[in-house]
Amino acid sequence: MNFSERQIQIIEAATKRIDKYGIQELTTKNLAADIGLSEAALYRHFKSKNDILLGMLSYFIIGMKEKINSIIQDEKNSPPTVIKAIFNNQLNTFIKNPAIVSVIFSEGIFQFNGTLSNKLSEMMDLMHKKISTLIKKGQDEGSFNKLLSPNITTTMIMGSMRMVVLKWKLSGNKSNLVKDGQAMLNGILKMIEK
């Protein structure tokens, strides 16, 4: 999916509006006012509010895929090193754009819309698949023990990291997200090391 500059501007403004006021205040009227467009002009770029939300998720997924794939490309790095780099990148992305956390960590926004919930599932599945593959590779190479399946280990890691991000969000972004996330991830990796 390719986005125009104006679509990216709309996506970023919508993300910030959700973060600041909640999903209930994301209307095409409010969003158009935020960026100085008429509602008619806004509709030339997105057909509906749901299309804007779908665009947000798609835009984030595209960026996430690119970053993860570039991190994984260096096959010289061990699975633990790659996993740390992926999560470090994700945490730093959240710090640079904290508003996106309000969108992707608010399942309530998407639960009654199949298209949006499928897109959110796609994002979670992408991350789960990449991490699970790295866990399996680490088990095969002897970096990680095989007490738990790659699937279960990945779920533990992703759930723990989600908790760290939620704690950061609820603190008003005042806790140290990278430090807390790295501590959590390092603890889990120590538990599964061989």
Side-chain angles (χ1 to χ4, degrees):
M1 211 174 178
N2 292 323
F3 293 99
S4 69
E5 284 183 40
R6 180 64 85 183
Q7 285 177 312
I8 292 169
Q9 179 190 23
I10 292 167
I11 287 168
E12 289 174 350
T15 304
K16 288 176 184 166
R17 175 160 277 282
I18 291 170
D19 184 52
K20 190 170 184 180
Y21 302 109
I23 187 68
Q24 63 278 5
E25 290 297 317
L26 180 66
T27 64
T28 53
K29 181 179 180 178
N30 288 341
L31 188 54
D34 288 347
I35 55 179
L37 289 177
S38 67
E39 278 188 83
L42 189 71
Y43 283 119
R44 283 197 293 270
H45 301 284
F46 289 101
K47 296 176 191 169
S48 67
K49 181 171 117 173
N50 280 345
D51 275 353
I52 294 168
L53 291 168
L54 187 60
M56 276 184 213
L57 291 174
S58 297
Y59 185 66
F60 186 74
I61 289 170
I62 290 167
M64 190 173 91
K65 275 183 188 176
E66 288 172 0
K67 294 280 186 173
I68 290 173
N69 288 337
S70 70
I71 291 167
I72 290 174
Q73 273 183 337
D74 190 354
E75 292 187 22
K76 295 179 291 189
N77 290 329
S78 67
T81 301
V82 175
I83 291 169
K84 288 177 187 178
I86 288 171
F87 279 101
N88 194 46
N89 175 72
Q90 290 296 105
L91 296 173
N92 280 300
T93 297
F94 293 150
I95 288 170
K96 288 177 193 160
N97 188 5
I100 194 69
V101 173
S102 296
V103 176
I104 65 171
F105 282 75
S106 298
E107 295 89 357
I109 294 174
F110 308 112
Q111 68 183 354
F112 298 111
N113 183 302
T115 304
L116 294 173
S117 62
N118 287 340
K119 187 56 81 171
L120 187 61
S121 289
E122 178 187 329
M123 181 172 40
M124 290 170 44
D125 291 345
L126 166 73
M127 187 67 137
H128 197 279
K129 183 179 178 186
K130 298 287 186 183
I131 300 301
S132 185
T133 300
L134 288 164
I135 297 293
K136 171 100 172 76
K137 182 179 178 186
Q139 288 176 335
D140 292 344
E141 292 176 356
S143 301
F144 300 136
N145 65 52
K146 295 182 179 184
L147 294 174
L148 298 173
S149 71
N151 183 46
I152 290 172
T153 303
T154 301
T155 301
M156 286 173 37
I157 291 170
M158 288 179 63
S160 299
M161 296 306 280
R162 180 179 180 81
M163 184 62 76
V164 169
V165 173
L166 181 59
K167 178 183 164 194
W168 173 72
K169 183 67 181 162
L170 293 174
S171 77
N173 307 344
K174 291 184 176 101
S175 64
N176 188 329
L177 179 59
V178 172
K179 181 182 171 192
D180 293 347
Q182 288 173 345
M184 178 66 72
L185 184 58
N186 287 336
I188 293 171
L189 292 177
K190 275 193 189 304
M191 290 188 325
I192 65 170
E193 280 177 357
K194 213 165 185 193

